[in-house]
């Protein structure tokens, strides 16, 4: 049987012979990025007195899209969560919930994407788990990844942000959301607006090498809830207003058009390869130069600053200097994307 004709069966999750065949298929597909020994736990060399850990589950709809899939998002999401804390991502786990009837060639496509993205990020998959559920109990497949990273520098924390910090965005807003919604709704933008999904740890390493230690105070990857959610979280933690120059926001023309058609705000849209960086203003130009020299940071822009105004607020300033308050979302403006 070919991959196109083989499908996941409920018996692939029984722990019997078919389960062994499925696990072997997964391990072989992941190739050199999987270093597990099929024991009940992985034994890892710890090279630091401090490690970073994170975990995330992925229920992407649709699970396959123009320039990526749920597998790529799973690796990127976990790698980026580790990297923005200042850690060097090293190890991942991989949990998979597979729906009966899932074609093996779809599974292989996801595993190939996981393998290629893990290679790019320089991480290894050290253990995993697979469960099979009945048809209709999952949207083809769900993934869970946990990650471990080591610190070679001081961790980055939200509490390190201070008044006067420059706010820098590493890439355009909203492309991931518009790409997926365009596929869902048949808008025709998906070939012009690609998902920004990418592992950002090499770009982050470039930033640290470009500026003196301590110049980068904090950073966050802009995912669900978009830039608005990130800025409101930081404003709330610091109890300071964050001022954003609306004309400086990097938003692709086609993304703005699609967002207008859909009645959504790009500031609330999810991204999968974009950083909000809070940096000492004296180092802002060097951070921008380092970002512009990396393929994932070519469209980076300085978008505002943390002010000394008391009170948690996010303020947008237009080209004429007029100010308005950006309100946080209280619920879901958008359908589930990830």
């Amino acid at each position: 049987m070919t991959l196109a004709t083989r499908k996941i069966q409920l018996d692939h999750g029984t722990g019997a012979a078919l389960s062994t065949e499925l696990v072997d298929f997964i391990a072989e597909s992941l190739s050199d990025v999987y270093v597990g020994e099929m024991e009940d736990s992985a034994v890892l060399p710890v090279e630091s007195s401090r490690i970073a850990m994170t975990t995330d589950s992925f229920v992407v709809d649709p699970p396959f899209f123009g320039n990526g899939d749920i597998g790529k998002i799973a690796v990127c999401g976990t790698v980026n969560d580790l990297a923005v804390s200042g850690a060097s991502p090293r190890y991942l786990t991989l949990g998979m919930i597979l729906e009966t009837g899932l074609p093996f060639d779809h599974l292989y496509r996801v595993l190939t994407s996981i393998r290629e993205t893990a290679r790019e990020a320089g991480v290894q998959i050290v253990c995993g788990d697979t469960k099979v559920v009945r048809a209709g109990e999952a949207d083809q497949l769900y993934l869970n990844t946990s990650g471990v990273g080591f610190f070679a520098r001081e961790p980055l924390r939200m509490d390190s942000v201070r008044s006067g910090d420059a706010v820098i965005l590493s890439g355009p807003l909203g492309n991931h959301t518009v790409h997926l919604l365009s596929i869902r709704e048949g808008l025709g933008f998906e070939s012009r607006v690609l998902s920004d999904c990418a592992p950002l740890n090499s770009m982050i390493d470039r930033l640290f090498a470009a500026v003196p230690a301590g110049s980068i105070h904090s950073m966050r990857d802009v995912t669900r809830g978009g830039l608005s959610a990130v800025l409101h979280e930081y404003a709330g933690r610091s109890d300071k207003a964050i001022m954003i120059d609306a004309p400086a926001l990097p938003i692709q023309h086609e993304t703005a058009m699609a967002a207008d058609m859909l009645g959504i705000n790009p500031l609330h849209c999810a991204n999968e390869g974009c950083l909000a960086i809070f940096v000492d203003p004296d180092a802002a130009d060097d951070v921008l130069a380092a970002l512009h020299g990396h393929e994932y940071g070519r469209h980076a822009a300085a978008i505002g600053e943390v002010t000394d105004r008391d009170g948690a607020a996010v303020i947008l300033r237009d080209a004429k200097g007029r100010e308005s308050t950006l309100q946080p979302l209280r619920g879901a403006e958008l359908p589930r994307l990830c």
Side-chain angles (χ1 to χ4, degrees):
M1 295 176 65
T2 66
L3 287 182
T5 57
R6 291 178 65 192
K7 297 184 184 298
I8 293 293
Q9 305 172 37
L10 199 58
D11 283 346
H12 278 117
T14 61
L18 281 178
S19 291
T20 301
E21 291 178 13
L22 176 60
V23 171
D24 288 344
F25 173 78
I26 292 169
E28 291 168 3
S29 298
L30 292 174
S31 186
D32 58 310
V33 302
Y34 176 69
V35 295
E37 298 177 346
M38 301 300 180
E39 301 284 356
D40 280 346
S41 61
V43 178
L44 307 177
V46 177
E47 304 166 8
S48 171
S49 60
R50 291 184 297 186
I51 64 171
M53 287 195 65
T54 189
T55 189
D56 207 345
S57 298
F58 299 87
V59 290
V60 181
D61 181 19
F64 303 93
F65 49 90
N67 63 319
D69 54 54
I70 189 173
K72 183 177 182 180
I73 288 180
V75 175
C76 292
T78 303
V79 164
N80 294 345
D81 281 350
L82 292 170
V84 296
S85 73
S88 296
R90 189 66 57 83
Y91 303 120
L92 300 184
T93 69
L94 176 63
M96 310 182 75
I97 297 177
L98 310 177
E99 186 178 67
T100 301
L102 175 71
F104 262 73
D105 59 345
H106 287 192
L107 177 58
Y108 182 72
R109 177 178 168 185
V110 170
L111 293 170
T112 299
S113 185
I114 289 172
R115 182 184 70 231
E116 292 175 353
T117 310
R119 283 174 176 167
E120 179 181 354
V123 296
Q124 295 179 316
I125 297 167
V126 295
C127 59
D129 180 61
T130 304
K131 294 292 185 291
V132 178
V133 299
R134 290 183 289 269
E137 293 183 347
D139 189 4
Q140 298 188 56
L141 74 167
Y142 296 152
L143 301 181
N144 174 274
T145 49
S146 294
V148 175
F150 299 149
F151 286 102
R153 56 179 74 97
E154 283 298 309
L156 300 181
R157 315 307 294 170
M158 292 176 65
D159 291 335
S160 299
V161 170
R162 61 195 71 160
S163 296
D165 277 358
V167 182
I168 292 174
L169 203 62
S170 70
L173 290 175
N175 284 16
H176 178 71
T177 292
V178 165
H179 180 74
L180 266 65
L181 286 180
S182 181
I183 294 172
R184 282 192 195 177
E185 306 299 329
L187 300 180
F189 285 97
E190 61 269 19
S191 63
R192 290 176 287 169
V193 181
L194 299 177
S195 169
D196 62 347
C197 182
L200 302 178
N201 51 322
S202 67
M203 185 174 74
I204 291 172
D205 287 340
R206 177 188 286 258
L207 298 185
F208 281 109
V211 297
S215 298
I216 298 172
H217 297 154
S218 189
M219 64 177 72
R220 183 66 55 89
D221 52 334
V222 182
T223 54
R224 279 180 298 175
L227 179 63
S228 173
V230 171
L231 295 177
H232 279 101
E233 188 174 4
Y234 275 86
R237 179 66 70 93
S238 65
D239 197 34
K240 297 293 183 184
I242 298 177
M243 180 71 68
I244 298 300
D245 290 311
L249 291 168
I251 301 174
Q252 188 177 330
H253 176 66
E254 292 86 351
T255 300
M257 289 176 56
D260 186 61
M261 289 175 58
L262 294 163
I264 58 178
N265 186 339
L267 275 75
H268 297 308
C269 291
N271 305 271
E272 288 294 342
C274 178
L275 299 177
I277 308 164
F278 297 79
V279 59
D280 188 303
D282 292 337
D285 288 344
D286 290 335
V287 167
L288 280 171
L291 288 169
H292 291 156
H294 193 279
E295 72 172 303
Y296 298 139
R298 293 192 303 267
H299 303 291
I303 62 169
E305 66 176 355
V306 181
T307 75
D308 58 4
R309 300 186 195 180
D310 292 332
V314 178
I315 301 169
L316 296 179
R317 183 169 53 204
D318 68 15
K320 295 182 178 180
R322 295 172 298 197
E323 298 179 3
S324 60
T325 301
L326 177 66
Q327 298 295 336
L329 289 179
R330 293 190 60 83
E333 181 186 54
L334 299 165
R336 173 176 64 83
L337 295 172
C338 56

